């Protein structure tokens, strides 16, 4: 197994034994070696003078540091695009070992699991949005600088996708509302070092969020012209069957606003009773029982009341999975290099909240 940490045992470095101990020899490219030779030709100290400025003396260690920085800049200049990972999985480890240095972070997970591409998949879109919403509520202060950039880059792509495809704008509005509320509270307490980064950067981000909210507020749904079969042309039993497959009460209400027929079907007591029984337990019904004027249980009002006190079940087309054998987090359809004899027995679906819990230290 190769060493992943850049310590003294890792491959890539050559070491030379000297009187003062072991010293590392860094392999440079030909272009950089020319620059190093120029620096090595200089004696133990270098004196640089400016226009009337005080002289600055640099030791050999400074020259070596400059050479190393030159090598890094050379690598960055020759990189055509930003670094990406072909494998969309990440090994979850919470402590340093001899083989692995450091631990996993949310920012690293954003890169390795490729959330930027995941939002283009309609099966994963709601999952990623819910994950960003949970981070906005509780984990925003724990994000590093890189994780912040990744977070807002993904959020920008989500907003642009909604503006172009007009897909599920209500979900994004809730996310932006939670994020703006959290930022308003944290910016006031920035003197307590609650946020990583300059306060002006966060103020600019807050202004961007407010701009996104205004754009979504002014979003106009395009009326699609189609001379073929429409939703209203379906039989009543098929329309009713569609409504019974919804797991979100707001989606039922929104669909009921399309036509009078759909409104009538969306007000069915049995529909809302099934929805309440799916999301909540019988004991929860007894604690918040609501009766109508006729003396019947108002299941529709019960659903929205119970939603304030208890979490509802989450449904996603595709979720991340965690392998208990390999401790690897991955998208199920992309797979991972599992060494178990029967990998399917080791897999466990990961909810958005469970994902955040994996990276809490």
């Amino acid at each position: 197994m190769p060493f992943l940490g850049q310590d003294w045992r890792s491959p890539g470095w050559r070491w030379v034994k000297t009187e003062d101990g072991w010293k590392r020899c860094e392999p440079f490219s030909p272009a950089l070696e020319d620059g190093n030779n120029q620096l090595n030709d200089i004696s133990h100290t270098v004196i640089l003078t400016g226009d009337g400025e005080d002289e600055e003396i640099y030791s050999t260690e400074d020259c070596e540091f400059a050479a190393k920085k030159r090598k890094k800049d050379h690598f960055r200049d020759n990189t055509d695009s930003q670094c990406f990972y072909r494998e969309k999985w990440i090994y979850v480890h919470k402590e340093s070992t001899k083989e692995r240095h450091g631990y996993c972070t949310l920012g690293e997970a954003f890169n390795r699991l490729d959330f930027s591409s995941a939002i283009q998949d309609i099966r994963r879109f709601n999952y990623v949005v819910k994950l960003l919403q949970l981070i906005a509520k509780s984990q925003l202060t724990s994000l590093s600088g890189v994780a912040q950039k990744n977070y807002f880059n993904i959020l920008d792509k989500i907003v642009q996708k909604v503006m172009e495809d007009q897909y599920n704008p209500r979900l994004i509005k809730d996310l932006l509302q939670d994020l703006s509320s959290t930022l308003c509270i944290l910016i006031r307490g920035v003197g307590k070092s609650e946020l990583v980064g300059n306060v002006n950067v966060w103020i600019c981000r807050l202004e961007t969020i407010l701009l996104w909210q205004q754009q979504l507020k002014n979003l106009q749904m395009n009326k699609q012209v189609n001379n073929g079969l429409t939703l209203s042309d379906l039989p009543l039993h098929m329309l009713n069957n569609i409504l019974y497959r919804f797991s979100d009460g707001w989606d039922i209400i929104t669909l009921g606003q399309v036509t009078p027929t759909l409104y009538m079907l969306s007000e069915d007591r049995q529909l809302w009773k099934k929805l309440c029984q799916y999301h909540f337990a019988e004991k929860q019904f007894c604690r918040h029982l609501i009766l109508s004027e006729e003396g019947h249980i108002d299941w529709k009002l019960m659903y929205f009341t119970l939603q304030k006190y208890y979490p509802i079940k989450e449904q996603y087309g595709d979720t991340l999975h965690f392998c208990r054998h390999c401790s690897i987090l991955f998208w199920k359809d992309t797979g991972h290099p599992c060494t178990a004899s029967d990998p399917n027995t080791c897999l466990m679906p990961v909810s958005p909240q469970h994902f955040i819990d994996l990276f809490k230290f």
Side-chain angles (χ1 to χ4, degrees):
M1 180 178 179
F3 292 107
L4 303 181
Q6 289 189 357
D7 56 1
W8 63 274
R9 301 162 299 176
S10 65
W13 302 117
R14 290 187 304 163
W15 293 82
V16 179
K17 189 174 183 180
T18 63
E19 295 179 356
D20 299 329
W22 288 91
K23 290 188 177 181
R24 186 176 63 195
C25 295
E26 300 180 5
F28 294 124
S29 62
L32 294 175
E33 287 180 356
D34 296 340
N36 292 340
N37 293 334
Q38 294 178 4
L39 290 174
N40 293 334
D41 292 340
I42 304 177
S43 59
H44 233 39
T45 57
V46 181
I47 300 178
L48 301 178
T49 58
D51 298 332
E53 299 291 339
D54 295 336
E55 295 181 348
E56 297 182 3
I57 301 179
Y58 294 89
S59 63
T60 306
E61 295 180 356
D62 297 327
C63 297
E64 293 178 355
F65 175 78
K68 185 182 295 185
K69 185 176 184 301
R70 178 187 251 174
K71 174 188 174 183
K72 186 182 296 185
D73 294 340
H74 177 77
F75 173 77
R76 290 176 178 175
D77 294 340
N78 292 334
T79 304
D80 297 329
S81 60
Q82 62 179 6
C83 180
F84 67 93
Y85 298 91
R86 181 175 299 177
E87 300 85 1
K88 297 181 181 180
W89 54 265
I90 183 172
Y91 176 81
V92 181
H93 55 105
K94 296 187 176 183
E95 58 184 4
S96 299
T97 63
K98 294 180 179 179
E99 292 77 18
R100 294 180 179 273
H101 177 68
Y103 50 84
C104 296
T105 62
L106 276 175
E108 186 180 0
F110 282 165
N111 281 339
R112 296 295 297 268
L113 297 173
D114 196 12
F115 285 156
S116 297
S117 300
I119 62 174
Q120 304 301 326
D121 190 336
I122 193 173
R123 301 172 303 165
R124 303 173 180 173
F125 182 83
N126 291 1
Y127 183 91
V128 177
V129 172
K130 181 63 176 181
L131 176 60
L132 296 185
Q133 188 174 15
L134 291 176
I135 293 176
K137 290 181 178 180
S138 60
Q139 297 298 310
L140 204 59
T141 55
S142 65
L143 295 181
S144 63
V146 175
Q148 292 173 16
K149 293 181 179 179
N150 293 336
Y151 182 93
F152 282 93
N153 287 338
I154 296 172
L155 185 58
D156 182 29
K157 293 181 180 180
I158 289 176
V159 174
Q160 299 306 320
K161 178 178 175 58
V162 173
M163 297 296 296
E164 294 174 2
D165 301 343
Q166 301 177 349
Y167 175 74
N168 209 343
R170 178 177 58 84
L171 191 64
I172 312 306
K173 289 179 181 178
D174 293 341
L175 166 60
L176 294 178
Q177 180 60 40
D178 292 337
L179 183 58
S180 61
S181 300
T182 304
L183 281 182
C184 288
I185 296 174
L186 293 177
I187 287 177
R188 298 192 188 102
V190 73
K192 303 177 183 179
S193 301
E194 294 187 45
L195 286 171
V196 177
N198 191 290
V199 62
N200 295 325
V201 175
W202 284 102
I203 292 177
C204 292
R205 288 171 177 167
L206 180 59
E207 293 175 351
T208 303
I209 294 171
L210 297 177
L211 177 61
W212 286 338
Q213 288 178 313
Q214 188 64 35
Q215 291 175 350
L216 292 174
K217 184 178 180 181
N218 300 331
L219 179 63
Q220 298 293 331
M221 295 295 179
N222 297 330
K223 186 176 181 179
Q224 297 182 357
V225 179
N226 191 353
N227 297 327
L229 186 67
T230 63
L231 187 64
S232 302
D233 298 328
L234 296 177
L236 289 179
H237 71 278
M238 294 186 66
L239 293 175
N240 196 44
N241 191 20
I242 292 174
L243 285 170
Y244 269 83
R245 294 181 181 275
F246 283 14
S247 61
D248 192 327
W250 285 109
D251 292 337
I252 296 176
I253 292 178
T254 303
L255 185 60
Q257 297 173 350
V258 177
T259 63
T261 302
L262 289 171
Y263 176 77
M264 177 191 66
L265 295 175
S266 66
E267 293 294 319
D268 183 21
R269 291 181 62 251
Q270 192 66 21
L271 171 65
W272 290 98
K273 180 180 179 180
K274 291 290 184 182
L275 192 63
C276 288
Q277 291 176 342
Y278 172 76
H279 287 290
F280 310 107
E282 293 289 341
K283 295 181 179 180
Q284 298 170 345
F285 295 159
C286 300
R287 296 175 183 175
H288 305 277
L289 194 61
I290 301 176
L291 300 177
S292 61
E293 297 179 356
E294 293 80 10
H296 303 294
I297 298 178
D298 191 339
W299 291 106
K300 180 179 179 180
L301 187 56
M302 281 275 292
Y303 170 81
F304 290 104
T305 302
L306 293 172
Q307 193 180 31
K308 297 178 181 178
Y309 297 98
Y310 309 104
I312 62 175
K313 292 183 179 179
E314 300 176 358
Q315 282 187 338
Y316 304 102
D318 189 17
T319 64
L320 289 169
H321 282 69
F322 181 75
C323 180
R324 293 186 292 268
H325 178 77
C326 307
S327 297
I328 288 179
L329 192 65
F330 65 101
W331 295 105
K332 190 173 182 180
D333 59 349
T334 58
H336 75 290
C338 187
T339 58
S341 56
D342 189 2
N344 292 329
T345 60
C346 307
L347 302 186
M348 179 180 62
V350 178
S351 66
Q353 183 60 53
H354 186 197
F355 175 89
I356 295 178
D357 294 338
L358 286 175
F359 295 96
K360 283 184 178 180
F361 306 108

